[in-house]
Amino acid sequence: MATIILGIETSCDDTAAAVLVDGKLYANVVSQQLEHQTHGGVIPELASRAHVQRIIPVVDAALSKANIDKKDLTAIAYTQGPGLLGSLLVGNAFAKSLALALKIPLIAVHHMQAHLLVHFIDDEFPTPTFPFLGLTVSGGHTQLVRVNGAASFTVLGETKDDAAGEAFDKTGKMLGLPYPAGPIMDQYAKKGTPKFEFGKPKVEGLNFSFSGLKTSVLYFLREQQDKDPKFIEKNIYDLCASIQKAIVNILMEKVERAVVETGLTQLVLGGGVSANSGLREALKNTNSNVFLPPLPYTTDNAAMIAMAGHLKLKENQIDSFYSEPKARLPI
Ligand code: KG4
Ligand code: ZN
């Protein structure tokens, strides 16, 4: 009998559902909450309310696109954390209730693990083999991990302050760009030259830091705007190219070091910032065997949750119906 997993993702501002049949993706529906754009960041209360309104239509859409009746589901995988508690709670309550009603297993998935395990979806991706080096780069996380198996992750290094995506979003906000600024900065960077330099962080080991860059950009902009109030407007493309280059350099320095220190030959990327063209380009020039997710699977989606659920189910890692969402959850 086929293994049919319904994946549900509600950790932040995307309500998503996916159906995976024997490791193959049959449906992947994402409803992006655009209401946060005007606020310069995700408003947790707005996000939870939007999840409540969208979760049923999104799951319905995924099931009908996959042409699967809910009675045929083998298990339900949902994002347990990390993320915004109110948002996670919606997915948790929905997944638990449906799994209970259908009398099928519930699988709790770690959001950042799923960003890396998305590469195991059949057909669409070249698939890495365990163990591999993982780099997760999203709006809330930046970590280098050793991935030993589907549920065995060891943190090698992580950001001591902001995440890489946050660095894009916060500096983008300083440039007057809407949230999330990352994808726009990526587009603008293509039209500019990285001619401005910002201070480099000094962080021990395989850890990262992005808050110094943020401050450095802030002071630089203040200084330049004092001389020319239209500085940002006149230099927006070069500013985006310069900030993007600085972020990519911070990431690449530690990635290259991790490759040498671990001896791992496969480097697997996951998370929203893995969509960044500058980072993708820089990674192509390394000696590692690099696995980049196709663009639709870089930002939050439920295909990755369903895939992680599929792998966990194979290892019989089923959760109890007392399962709780966790805003903070170590990888
Ligand atoms: O993984 P994700 O969808 O959500 C979290 O788990 O946080 O990542 C969202 C982050 C945002 O900070 C967004 O600005 C960034 O990924 N992002 C990008 C690009 N696409 C998304 N950053 C730089 N370049 C991009 N092309
Ligand atoms: Zn994410």
Side-chain angles (χ1 to χ4, degrees):
M1 224 168 56
T3 301
I4 308 178
I5 312 278
L6 170 67
I8 293 173
E9 154 64 30
T10 64
S11 67
C12 189
D13 58 341
D14 294 305
T15 315
V19 177
L20 200 71
V21 181
D22 284 335
K24 288 191 172 58
L25 192 59
Y26 275 42
N28 185 31
V29 178
V30 184
S31 169
Q32 235 194 340
Q33 302 177 3
L34 301 175
E35 43 271 73
H36 305 286
Q37 274 180 349
T38 47
H39 296 278
V42 177
I43 309 292
E45 180 60 21
L46 278 184
S48 346
R49 287 175 192 219
H51 285 306
V52 171
Q53 287 167 343
R54 290 165 197 213
I55 186 94
I56 293 174
V58 165
V59 168
D60 262 347
L63 288 171
S64 69
K65 193 161 177 231
N67 203 14
I68 294 286
D69 190 288
K70 57 183 178 305
K71 291 194 187 70
D72 298 327
L73 293 173
T74 311
I76 298 179
Y78 81 98
T79 306
Q80 184 179 32
L84 300 171
L85 193 61
S87 291
L88 291 166
L89 203 53
V90 179
N92 165 275
F94 184 89
K96 257 198 247 186
S97 317
L98 189 57
L100 260 171
L102 296 171
K103 297 188 176 64
I104 55 174
L106 177 71
I107 304 162
V109 170
H110 190 292
H111 181 87
M112 298 314 295
Q113 292 186 358
H115 266 304
L116 293 175
L117 297 175
V118 75
H119 291 266
F120 287 83
I121 292 178
D122 274 2
D123 299 341
E124 309 210 12
F125 301 66
T127 302
T129 46
F130 299 117
F132 57 79
L133 180 63
L135 174 67
T136 59
V137 270
S138 72
H141 297 85
T142 299
Q143 278 186 327
L144 272 164
V145 288
R146 182 190 165 94
V147 186
N148 305 305
S152 171
F153 292 67
T154 314
V155 178
L156 304 172
E158 61 193 339
T159 182
K160 292 293 165 197
D161 38 60
D162 293 343
E166 224 175 333
F168 274 107
D169 297 337
K170 288 183 175 168
T171 53
K173 194 174 174 183
M174 292 175 203
L175 301 177
L177 303 176
Y179 176 86
I184 308 166
M185 288 183 78
D186 190 356
Q187 290 311 313
Y188 284 6
K190 287 181 190 150
K191 299 181 193 171
T193 313
K195 65 181 192 192
F196 305 117
E197 297 238 346
F198 305 105
K200 278 189 192 157
K202 285 194 182 65
V203 205
E204 80 291 355
L206 296 175
N207 294 320
F208 303 91
S209 167
F210 293 96
S211 67
L213 172 67
K214 191 177 61 185
T215 317
S216 173
V217 171
L218 179 71
Y219 288 151
F220 175 75
L221 291 177
R222 272 193 199 155
E223 205 181 294
Q224 297 302 321
Q225 279 178 302
D226 280 347
K227 292 185 230 159
D228 176 3
K230 293 211 159 151
F231 177 79
I232 293 181
E233 208 180 304
K234 287 181 190 162
N235 294 281
I236 186 75
Y237 297 141
D238 291 344
L239 281 165
C240 288
S242 307
I243 297 169
Q244 175 171 297
K245 189 175 174 202
I247 295 172
V248 170
N249 284 350
I250 294 173
L251 291 169
M252 289 305 298
E253 188 193 327
K254 296 302 170 94
V255 164
E256 278 160 6
R257 189 162 160 180
V259 169
V260 173
E261 284 184 13
T262 61
L264 293 168
T265 52
Q266 304 167 95
L267 172 63
V268 179
L269 267 281
V273 181
S274 63
N276 185 264
S277 57
L279 179 61
R280 292 173 88 94
E281 202 46 49
L283 285 161
K284 280 187 196 149
N285 298 325
T286 63
N287 291 329
S288 307
N289 185 6
V290 180
F291 295 78
L292 290 165
L295 288 182
Y297 306 99
T298 53
T299 45
D300 289 349
N301 63 84
M304 66 186 200
I305 305 302
M307 189 64 232
H310 180 90
L311 294 171
K312 285 186 95 172
L313 185 67
K314 272 214 248 171
E315 293 183 6
N316 216 17
Q317 295 197 32
I318 291 164
D319 212 25
S320 99
F321 288 115
Y322 294 102
S323 165
E324 284 172 10
K326 294 196 165 71
R328 285 170 182 272
L329 187 62
I331 200 165

